[in-house]
Amino acid sequence: MLSAYLEVIRMRFLMMLAYRVNYYSGILIYALNIGSYYFVYKAIYGEQAMIGGLTLGQMTTYVAVSWMGRAFYFNNLDREIASEIRDGSVAIQFIRPYNYVVVKMMQGLGEGIFRLFLFTTPGMVLIWLLLPVQLPTNPSLWGIYLIMLFFSFLINTQLNIITGLFAFFLENNEGLMRMKRVAVDLFSGLIIPISFFPGWSKSVLEWLPFQAITYLPSAVFTGKITGAEVFQKLGIQAMWFFILIIPMYFLWSKSRTRLFVQGG
């Protein structure tokens, strides 16, 4: 069965490779986006040395690594699942000798590997050449960041699968998918670092899984989080990964016993 899942990863990677030209333009779009954020934050900082626990140099790095990290963990599995549910093709998955949810995770991983090597890495190099990004020189920090980035992918993919599976019960979950995407981008710290939020909202966000997607790995990468606290934050990511397995498989098990018919 492992070989079958590895084949799913390979096939997804090759499928993405066929459309790689689209991602070259994506690198430029992300670069423009990051550049815009840089000049906005540069104006906001002005003469201030630090805001929200981040210097301007750290903020520049935070923005760059957050958006390029998003290029790795982003996927549209929620829309794929919802589409398969609406057109009925998901029924075929019930009789196949593999776990549908795991297959979707593997498809997302294949896409993520493609994005890592052909989007995130060249994009980060381009940003490093254009903007004053401060890359860490400690190899162990790079290793920890990559582990945390992988957890970012897992947690984001779990949220996508959960959102997609709601199509079994809502039939049209377009609004839910849009709400989820906005929530992830905003509350994960992608648009605004969580340290910039008011105190009460930061306390609320600490109880949600979103910070584990962007803020925690990016804060570690920039040096805002250091020492033993790094492993504590890594533990938070691992905790959310295991917690989200419960609703994901609960929804899938309930979905397998639900029948609804559309059309005449």
Side-chain angles (χ1 to χ4, degrees), residues 210-227:
F210 303 116
Q211 65 163 345
I213 298 175
T214 299
Y215 179 71
L216 295 184
S218 297
V220 168
F221 188 87
T222 57
K224 187 180 188 307
I225 297 175
T226 58

Side-chain angles (χ1 to χ4, degrees), residues 1-19:
M1 187 58 68
L2 177 61
S3 60
Y5 291 138
L6 292 176
E7 182 64 15
V8 170
I9 296 174
R10 189 183 75 87
M11 292 301 296
R12 187 64 164 225
F13 181 90
L14 293 176
M15 186 187 77
M16 300 299 296
L17 194 62
Y19 300 97

Side-chain angles (χ1 to χ4, degrees), residues 29 65 68 89 92-93 100 106 125 132 134 166-167 190 204 223 263:
I29 293 172
V65 77
M68 285 306 168
S89 60
I92 304 299
Q93 310 295 336
Y100 177 75
M106 295 302 103
V125 171
Q134 302 171 350
F166 266 105
L190 176 68
V204 172

Side-chain angles (χ1 to χ4, degrees), residues 23 71-72 74 111-121:
Y23 290 88
F72 164 67
F74 178 85
E111 181 176 343
I113 293 172
F114 168 85
R115 285 172 167 271
L116 178 64
F117 289 107
L118 280 88
F119 194 155
T120 300
T121 301

